[in-house]
Amino acid sequence: RTVMIDSDSHELEVTAATVPVTGVSLDQHALTLNIGQTGALVATVSPVSADDTTVTWTSSNPNITVTGTGLSVQVSGSAAGTGTITVTTNDGGLTDTCAVIINTVVVPVDSVSLNKNTMELHVGGSDTLTYSILPANATDDTVTWATSDASVATVLGGVVSAVATGSATITVTTNDGGKTATCAVTVTPTGGNDPTFPSDKNDVASKTGINAGDLVETGGKVYLSGNAASAIAKTLLGSSAATGAIEPVFEITVNPDGSVARISFSVKGNELLASYADDINLVGMVSGNSGQLFDYANSLADVGDMKFTLLKNGVVYTGEIDPNDTYEIVFGIKDGGLFDMDDTADGEVIGSVFFASDGKKKSGGGGGCSAGYELLALALLATPLISRKRK
């Protein structure tokens, strides 16, 4: 308000004219950015002499933001997508818009490599392959795993599991670009630390509680006597029970943490006293003068404490047993478990096993010691697996 006095001393009030906003425009109406990039928008309010040239900025997409005040702001996006930036005049509510596209920066894969080019496993064992992609900031770092022979070795998420003896190639392939790397896997029969065979039956008796009179020394090894095995078999399977191969008492060193020793040995079909794998009665000696039956497992992966499976040529076998063929029995005994005859989780498994039948199954085997069947090897399982005893 301006007050003026004229020549006649009259007061005159003069009010300045208001200049309203008539429009607003942006310098860009389309803006494309990559994630991490920033763009600028400038708003021009008309007329420049307008009394109130302030504006407000808004975004239709919360992942696309505007930063700053006044007639100029920065635009950025935190995720791929689209949105609309709107500028609105505070005087008159006039608007203009800019369509924004935020793109993902695509960084292609150049190569992939594995932490191992070769791997050796025993049947039933496993190991893990890890991959590295270059560049490290590649957009798509996903891969696909494959094996050249699933009957020898399988792979799942980089974890390679040995199924049977033989060779296989594990291949990792990038989903972007199809880049590959390989690892040659060799699978050998079930193995690990070699067992030892005590030769003194009195030493075995003192460690296990088995009566020394129920043990025999043959060929520098100690065996459960045929009479003792027969008595245990009849207790478990009935008065008509018969015994097959009796394996020597063995000792195995394991980690003293309740680990499971996985053991394998070869045996002729006629010594199994069974027609099929799940008919086999594998008896494990228990501390003292008694025994219990192992439970049958239909895969190597399931062979844990007190479980066994049957292999032929390194592969789990479920067909009819040929009395003249040679098979491999794989079983597990937990350190300190029921079949560890020293009854202590002390890092040493002491075991003894034999085969039996209820006397009703047709077989060509007989009782007695089987000194010719050599205990082959064992592998340690990191996590104890406990199963119910076979009924």
Side-chain angles (χ1 to χ4, degrees):
R1 177 174 181 272
T2 301
V3 177
M4 301 180 65
I5 306 297
D6 63 8
S7 58
D8 296 325
S9 299
H10 296 124
E11 290 186 4
L12 301 176
E13 183 176 337
V14 179
T15 302
T18 300
V19 181
V21 171
T22 59
V24 63
S25 62
L26 293 172
D27 62 333
Q28 301 179 78
H29 292 95
L31 187 61
T32 299
L33 301 171
N34 292 324
I35 293 176
Q37 285 186 316
T38 300
L41 288 176
V42 176
T44 300
V45 175
S46 300
V48 294
S49 59
D51 289 340
D52 184 0
T53 58
T54 60
V55 294
T56 300
W57 299 87
T58 57
S59 171
S60 66
N61 185 338
N63 291 319
I64 300 174
T65 57
V66 289
T67 304
T69 58
L71 301 179
S72 179
V73 294
Q74 291 183 324
V75 180
S76 60
S78 59
T82 61
T84 300
I85 302 298
T86 301
V87 60
T88 304
T89 63
N90 292 325
D91 174 17
L94 303 175
T95 62
D96 197 9
T97 60
C98 177
V100 179
I101 298 174
I102 303 296
N103 289 327
T104 300
V105 179
V106 177
V107 179
V109 172
D110 289 336
S111 64
V112 63
S113 60
L114 291 171
N115 61 322
K116 297 180 181 181
N117 296 320
T118 61
M119 180 184 292
E120 292 187 3
L121 295 172
H122 297 295
V123 172
S126 64
D127 200 354
T128 300
L129 290 173
T130 59
Y131 67 93
S132 298
I133 284 179
L134 291 177
N137 65 336
T139 301
D140 184 356
D141 61 357
T142 60
V143 298
T144 300
W145 296 91
T147 177
S148 64
D149 191 343
S151 68
V152 173
T154 61
V155 61
L156 179 63
V159 178
V160 180
S161 300
V163 177
T165 56
S167 299
T169 299
I170 303 300
T171 301
V172 61
T173 304
T174 63
N175 292 325
D176 173 22
K179 309 296 182 180
T180 62
T182 60
C183 178
V185 179
T186 302
V187 180
T188 56
T190 305
N193 299 328
D194 291 333
T196 59
F197 301 94
S199 58
D200 187 339
K201 68 178 184 179
N202 292 313
D203 180 54
V204 171
S206 67
K207 289 182 177 180
T208 65
I210 297 177
N211 295 328
D214 290 327
L215 299 170
V216 294
E217 297 174 359
T218 302
K221 298 177 182 179
V222 177
Y223 296 82
L224 186 68
S225 71
N227 287 337
S230 177
I232 292 171
K234 289 178 180 179
T235 298
L236 294 174
L237 301 171
S239 59
S240 299
T243 57
I246 302 174
E247 297 304 320
V249 176
F250 53 86
E251 296 181 349
I252 300 164
T253 300
V254 299
N255 292 326
D257 58 1
S259 295
V260 174
R262 182 184 282 178
I263 306 115
S264 73
F265 58 88
S266 61
V267 62
K268 293 286 289 186
N270 65 331
E271 292 283 347
L272 294 171
L273 304 186
S275 299
Y276 294 91
D278 58 359
D279 292 333
I280 294 173
N281 291 301
L282 180 63
V283 180
M285 287 298 297
V286 178
S287 177
N289 281 60
S290 61
Q292 292 287 342
L293 291 170
F294 282 79
D295 198 13
Y296 174 69
N298 57 14
S299 73
L300 273 171
D302 292 330
V303 175
D305 183 32
M306 303 191 297
K307 282 198 169 188
F308 79 92
T309 197
L310 183 69
L311 306 183
K312 184 177 181 181
N313 298 324
V315 179
V316 172
Y317 183 74
T318 58
E320 188 171 3
I321 295 172
D322 186 330
N324 298 312
D325 283 346
T326 298
Y327 299 88
E328 184 179 3
I329 284 283
V330 182
F331 59 93
I333 296 179
K334 178 184 177 181
D335 184 24
L338 182 64
F339 290 153
D340 181 7
M341 294 194 298
D342 67 5
D343 262 349
T344 307
D346 56 359
E348 183 179 57
V349 170
I350 304 177
S352 176
V353 299
F354 66 90
F355 296 92
S357 77
D358 61 7
K360 300 175 183 178
K361 298 172 184 173
K362 182 179 178 181
S363 67
C369 298
S370 178
Y373 303 115
E374 182 181 1
L375 191 63
L376 298 179
L378 74 140
L380 301 181
L381 305 182
T383 304
L385 301 175
I386 303 175
S387 64
R388 65 177 178 83
K389 294 187 290 294
R390 188 178 178 193
K391 301 296 185 182

